Amino acid sequence: MLSQQEISDRFEIQDLVFRYSQLVDARALDELRELFTEDAHVDYSAFGGSVGNLDETLDFLKASLTRELFPNSQHLNANVQVEVSGDSAKGRVMCLNPMEMSLPDGGTQIFFLGLWYLDEYRRTSTGWRFSRREEEKSWVFNTPDFMNL
C-alpha cells in the first residue's frame, strides 16, 4: 500500500509533467526554468534536438519552436509511471505530439510524433523538479519530406 507521502509525491510529479507540456505548447519557454534543477541534463537527440544543460536546452527550444515554424502543437501525456525513492524519483511518460508545421510554399502540414520521456526528478525546497529529461523515439507519422526524423 502506498503511503500518503508517496501518493502526494506522485501527484506533484504528474503535475510537473503536465505543466512542462503546457508551457512548451504555450511557448512560455522561460517559465520552464522553474521546472528543472539548476544542474539538469536534457537530451532531445532522439528527434535531432539538443543535448545539454538547461541554458542550452532553452536556447534550442527558443530557436526551434517558433510560432512561425510551428504555429500549433500539443503534447498529450499518458501512462505516467513514477517510482519514488525518498527525495528522488524516476519516470517514464508516454507522449503523443501532433504539430502543425509551416511549409516553404506557404501552406502547413500536420504531423505526429510518438515518444517516451525518460525522466529523473528531485525534491527541492520549492517542490519536485526535473533533474534529467530524455526523449526516446517511438514513431513518426506524416512528417514533411524534408525532415529527417
Side-chain angles (χ1 to χ4, degrees):
M1 180 178 293
L2 297 176
S3 70
Q4 287 182 335
Q5 182 63 55
E6 188 170 357
I7 292 168
S8 174
D9 290 340
R10 287 176 179 225
F11 274 120
E12 288 179 41
I13 291 169
Q14 182 176 297
D15 286 347
L16 177 70
V17 166
F18 295 151
R19 177 81 172 137
Y20 169 91
S21 293
Q22 184 235 342
L23 291 175
V24 170
D25 290 331
R27 306 305 192 277
L29 301 174
D30 285 323
E31 293 181 48
L32 287 173
R33 188 171 297 283
E34 301 167 10
L35 307 185
F36 287 85
T37 61
E38 287 186 27
D39 64 344
H41 178 79
V42 183
D43 182 346
Y44 293 144
S45 63
F47 292 99
S50 68
V51 178
N53 64 33
L54 186 54
D55 288 329
E56 293 164 332
T57 300
L58 293 176
D59 288 345
F60 165 74
L61 290 174
K62 288 175 186 177
S64 60
L65 286 183
T66 66
R67 289 271 182 213
E68 293 76 28
L69 184 57
F70 296 105
N72 296 292
S73 70
Q74 290 182 318
H75 287 72
L76 309 166
N77 298 134
N79 295 358
V80 180
Q81 303 163 31
V82 176
E83 294 178 26
V84 177
S85 179
D87 291 336
S88 62
K90 291 187 176 190
R92 181 175 164 90
V93 179
M94 180 189 294
C95 180
L96 171 62
N97 181 202
M99 298 187 75
E100 178 183 24
M101 182 176 200
S102 298
L103 299 175
D105 68 4
T108 63
Q109 181 170 333
I110 305 235
F111 66 96
F112 298 83
L113 305 175
L115 62 127
W116 291 95
Y117 287 115
L118 308 177
D119 294 332
E120 294 178 15
Y121 316 99
R122 189 179 316 138
R123 187 193 319 267
T124 70
S125 61
T126 56
W128 285 97
R129 300 292 179 257
F130 294 101
S131 58
R132 180 177 175 84
R133 175 155 259 210
E134 178 180 348
E135 291 178 338
E136 180 181 272
K137 184 177 180 178
S138 183
W139 52 269
V140 298
F141 176 76
N142 200 41
T143 55
D145 292 335
F146 56 85
M147 293 182 75
N148 293 322
L149 300 180

